[in-house]
Each structure stands twice: as structure tokens, then as C-alpha cells.
Amino acid sequence: MENDNKIELFEHRPVPKAIATLAIPTILSSLVMVIYNLADTYFVGMLNDSIQNAAVTFVAPVLLAFNAVNNLFGVGSSSLMSRSLGMKDYQMVRKTSAIGFYCTLFFATFIAIGCALFYKPLIYMLGSDVVTFEATYQYMLWTVMFGAVPAILNVVLAYMVRSEGASLHASIGTMSGCFLNIILDPIFILPWGLNMGAAGAGCATFISNCVACIYFFILLKVKKKNTYVSLSPKLFSFDKRVLTSIFAVGIPASIQNLLNVTGMTILNNLTSVYGTSAVAAIGITQKVNLVPTQIAMGLSQGIMPLISYCYASKNIERMKQAIITSIKICAIFAFSVAFIYYIQSEFFIKLFMSNAEIVSYGSSFLKGYCLGIPFLTFDFLCVGVYQAIGNGKLSLFFAIARKIILEIPALFILNMIYPLYGLAYSQFIAEFILTVVAGIVMIQLFKKLYNENRE
């Protein structure tokens, strides 16, 4: 019965309703993820200590690097799983999920051990100095050295569960950990609680990610007869066909996130020259910018199973309808948020810290960042489509173009032209150019798909 519902969702339900079913839980989950990501900054900010806040900012690139593994095996596996569902190849779905899970476990463990062995040079490379070193180390200890495995596993499991249309279950899993983290943060961070500062934020994050993982393990055990997602070690193998398909989509998605880490590290290093207040301000601005970013990502991830299924079953018209509807939703949302951020930039920074210097810096940064929001949301959606159809080459092209060709050079150029404040406009320049390119590529893609169908 449950499997019949999956087919009805992907093949027969009206496109707006199908998008709502898949995307709303994912977007809600992304919103909670935003609050979860903001929680560390918010509660650490309540200490009014720029060193503690800078520590959270410095470790952010490493936490972002987790997404390299999330995308390698989460996006890569889920794309293949949804396409296999469209072709009714259910054994391939089971095998892909098992291979994706155990590869994720290995890579997450490797990251944790690597960071534990080389934490000193890593912390300095991230932009920290002798003043912020200890606070940065304590936050990294819990979030990375102890926390890498549960943090990465719970995201990949959510991707896999979502791949067969169970967006609600995927969202409940991620949200359970997020809500727990928000509850634990003040207890671990603030003076009236355990008074651990940034280290407390890391400890709360570690515990909450463990809880999210446990939820998914229990879910898959309970739904064993009604799900194609399998974690059976018997199904694990180095199947060339499966790994090639996972890597074709996952590697470009992973590279995209590694380039994001590189960009963020360069940004933090360029900002650190101007002092800890500037670093704290750029960190807060990036967290505020997470709201539209995560919602756009939530919509993109939410519709991916539908796009993959329609593409594999050659229902191109339904696929096109889903994309156009999603673009309309993105446009309305993105322009609204950008406008609100621009006119209320000081208000959003003051939510985190009342320090006058940080508020001044952050307000100017946010005005620059918000200009790129409408273009960023469209670009995310396009890249999600390329990942859904298994076109890793296009995803890789956009990843390289976004960071190496456009954003990173823009950081250096704008910092020279307009010291410090120019850094906030690099995203706008990169995403605007990418939007033009993405629109052209999307039109050409559909022309090709329609021609193939006629043949």
C-alpha cells in the first residue's frame, strides 16, 4: 500500500501538490536547520565575547566541509535511488543505499581522525591566532573530532529516506536533532548553566546529531518491509556500476562544497586582518544569510526525487512543469527576503550581538549579501535539477564557475577596491553571472530532452 502511494505521488498527483508534499517538509526542516545553525551564534553571542564568537566562525568552514561527504554520498546515492525507482529497479535502490551508507561511515570517520591528528595547523590555517586558539579548539573538539560521524550520517540518511518520497520522515529526523540542540545550547553555553561557552555549543551539537542518527536507525528498522532503503552489510560491495553513478553526481556536488569551504576560509582570512569584531560580524552575517540559502536548498532537495523519477520514466512535460512551478516559488520568496534584509539590516545583526562596532560592520555586510539572494536561489534550483538527472558535468561546471572563476577572484579584487566592505558583494557578482548562464543552459537542456523523446 505504501509503495502504491509512492507511485501515485511521483506519477499522478498534480504537480503543485506533489511539490508541496515533497518540498514543504524539506523546507520546514531547512528552516529548523537555519535556527539550529543560528543557535550557536545566538547563544554564544549572548556572552558578548568576540573571541568566543570568532571561534564559532573559524570552525564554520570545517563544518561546511562535512557537506562534501553529505553531497558525495547523500546527493549521489539519492539521485541514483530515485532514478532507479522511476525505472522500477528496486534491488538497485537497496544496493545503492547500503553502499552509500557504509562509504559515508568510512569517510566521516576519516575526517574525524584527520582533524584530531592535525588540529593545530588546521586551526591556524582557518584564520585563528593565539588569542582565539583555545576557544576554537574546544568548539572543534566536539563538533568535528567527536561529532563528524553523527553529523554526516544523519544528513545522508535523510537524503536516502527522502529519495523514495518520504520527505516528512526525513524532516522529522533532522528536526529532532535540531530542536534538541536549540534546547541544550543555553544550558551548555551560558553562565547560569554549565558555562562552557563555545565548547558548550559544540557539545550540544554533538549530542543532538547522535539523537538524529538514532531516529533514522529506528525508523528504518520499523519500516523494514515498507522501504527500499537498506543498511544491510550483505548488500555492500564495490559495485562499479553503482559507484560510478554515485560519483558522477556526488563528486561534482562534493567539489562544490569543498570550494565553498575554500571560499569561506579565504573570506575569514581576509576579514581577520581587520580584527575579531570584523570576523564576528561576517560570521553573524553569513548565519543570517543561511535563512534564504537553506530554504532555497530545501526546495531544491525536496523536488529532486520528483525530477529524478520523471526524468527516468521519460515524463519530460511533468518534469518541466515541476521546475517552472519551483522557479516561481523561489522568485517570490527570494525578492521578498532580500528587500526585508536590506531595509532592516541593523535589526537582524542586533538579534545576535549588541556590540556597536559589530552591528555597524554586520549591517553593511548584510546589505551586500542580500543583493545576491534572488540569483543564488535560482542557481541552487538549477544545480539541483542537474544533480537529479545525473548530469554531474554540469554540476561540476557551475561549482567551478561559482567559486574559482567568479567569487574567489572577486573577493580579492573587491577587497582592494573597497577594503573589507567590498568582500560582502562577491556573492552578488558571482550569482548574477551564473543566473544568466544557468538560464541559457536550462533552455538548451529541455530542447535536447524533447528532441530525444521525439526520436
Side-chain angles (χ1 to χ4, degrees), residues 44-309:
V44 172
M46 288 179 70
L47 298 172
N48 217 24
D49 182 342
S50 61
I51 291 174
Q52 296 292 321
N53 216 284
V56 175
T57 302
F58 285 133
V59 179
V62 183
L63 302 183
L64 187 62
F66 289 177
N67 288 334
V69 182
N70 294 342
N71 283 0
L72 178 58
F73 297 109
V75 174
S77 298
S78 64
S79 175
L80 178 56
M81 289 164 70
S82 293
R83 281 181 277 130
S84 299
L85 280 171
M87 294 183 285
K88 308 293 190 292
D89 188 349
Y90 303 123
Q91 185 57 25
M92 176 63 83
V93 181
R94 294 186 183 95
K95 184 184 289 189
T96 301
S97 57
I99 291 172
F101 174 79
Y102 287 105
C103 286
T104 300
L105 183 60
F106 171 79
F107 275 84
T109 304
F110 178 79
I111 288 173
I113 294 172
C115 289
L117 292 175
F118 303 104
Y119 71 90
K120 281 189 179 180
L122 175 61
I123 288 173
Y124 285 121
M125 186 182 73
L126 292 169
S128 182
D129 56 23
V130 291
V131 176
T132 56
F133 181 90
E134 183 59 27
T136 305
Y137 168 74
Q138 291 297 330
Y139 186 65
M140 183 183 285
L141 176 68
W142 287 102
T143 55
V144 181
M145 300 174 204
F146 293 153
V149 174
I152 293 170
L153 273 185
N154 90 75
V155 175
V156 172
L157 287 168
Y159 269 113
M160 290 180 176
V161 169
R162 193 180 295 119
S163 71
E164 55 178 6
S167 281
L168 182 60
H169 285 301
S171 299
I172 290 172
T174 53
M175 286 192 293
S176 63
C178 293
F179 280 126
L180 180 60
N181 187 76
I182 293 164
I183 293 168
L184 293 179
D185 257 351
I187 299 171
F188 281 80
I189 295 169
L190 299 178
W192 59 260
L194 297 177
N195 196 24
M196 293 172 66
C203 187
T205 300
F206 167 69
I207 293 170
S208 62
N209 284 328
C210 287
V211 170
C213 278
I214 291 168
Y215 171 86
F216 283 115
F217 292 141
I218 294 172
L219 173 70
L220 294 175
K221 181 71 175 176
V222 172
K223 287 170 59 70
K224 192 173 183 179
K225 294 181 180 178
N226 294 309
T227 180
Y228 298 117
V229 179
S230 175
L231 306 183
S232 172
K234 294 178 182 178
L235 290 174
F236 175 78
S237 67
F238 293 102
D239 187 306
K240 186 177 179 181
R241 185 164 64 112
V242 174
L243 288 171
T244 301
S245 295
I246 290 174
F247 290 156
V249 174
I251 287 177
S254 181
I255 290 172
Q256 177 180 328
N257 274 281
L258 289 174
L259 291 175
N260 287 342
V261 172
T262 304
M264 187 180 287
T265 303
I266 290 170
L267 175 61
N268 286 346
N269 276 277
L270 289 173
T271 308
S272 65
V273 175
Y274 302 95
T276 56
S277 291
V279 173
I282 202 76
I284 291 169
T285 304
Q286 288 173 329
K287 291 294 177 76
V288 173
N289 195 53
L290 273 175
V291 175
T293 301
Q294 286 287 346
I295 291 174
M297 195 177 292
L299 178 61
S300 175
Q301 291 173 357
I303 66 166
M304 271 182 66
L306 179 62
I307 302 297
S308 295
Y309 192 99

Side-chain angles (χ1 to χ4, degrees), residues 331-345:
I332 295 168
F333 162 75
F335 280 103
S336 300
V337 172
F339 177 73
I340 294 168
Y341 273 7
Y342 195 87
I343 64 172
Q344 292 292 334
S345 56

Side-chain angles (χ1 to χ4, degrees), residues 239-426:
D239 187 306
K240 186 177 179 181
R241 185 164 64 112
V242 174
L243 288 171
T244 301
S245 295
I246 290 174
F247 290 156
V249 174
I251 287 177
S254 181
I255 290 172
Q256 177 180 328
N257 274 281
L258 289 174
L259 291 175
N260 287 342
V261 172
T262 304
M264 187 180 287
T265 303
I266 290 170
L267 175 61
N268 286 346
N269 276 277
L270 289 173
T271 308
S272 65
V273 175
Y274 302 95
T276 56
S277 291
V279 173
I282 202 76
I284 291 169
T285 304
Q286 288 173 329
K287 291 294 177 76
V288 173
N289 195 53
L290 273 175
V291 175
T293 301
Q294 286 287 346
I295 291 174
M297 195 177 292
L299 178 61
S300 175
Q301 291 173 357
I303 66 166
M304 271 182 66
L306 179 62
I307 302 297
S308 295
Y309 192 99
C310 292
Y311 174 76
S313 59
K314 301 192 183 299
N315 192 344
I316 305 305
E317 194 56 46
R318 185 173 172 83
M319 174 182 163
K320 180 181 177 182
Q321 205 179 338
I323 293 169
I324 291 172
T325 303
S326 300
I327 289 172
K328 290 177 182 176
I329 295 168
C330 266
I332 295 168
F333 162 75
F335 280 103
S336 300
V337 172
F339 177 73
I340 294 168
Y341 273 7
Y342 195 87
I343 64 172
Q344 292 292 334
S345 56
E346 273 196 22
F347 167 77
F348 286 105
I349 303 301
K350 283 181 179 176
L351 288 175
F352 296 91
M353 288 191 80
S354 56
N355 181 292
E357 187 179 22
I358 291 175
V359 170
S360 177
Y361 280 142
S363 175
S364 298
F365 295 154
L366 187 56
K367 285 180 178 178
Y369 268 90
C370 72
L371 296 178
I373 290 171
F375 308 105
L376 178 142
T377 54
F378 178 77
D379 295 338
F380 272 14
L381 191 64
C382 290
V383 171
V385 171
Y386 307 144
Q387 291 170 343
I389 66 175
N391 195 327
K393 290 180 181 177
L394 273 177
S395 301
L396 181 59
F397 165 74
F398 275 91
I400 292 172
R402 171 179 280 117
K403 290 294 176 182
I404 295 179
I405 299 174
L406 297 171
E407 192 172 319
I408 291 175
L411 283 171
F412 288 99
I413 294 168
L414 291 171
N415 192 43
M416 286 189 290
I417 296 171
Y418 188 25
L420 179 61
Y421 297 100
L423 296 170
Y425 293 87
S426 61

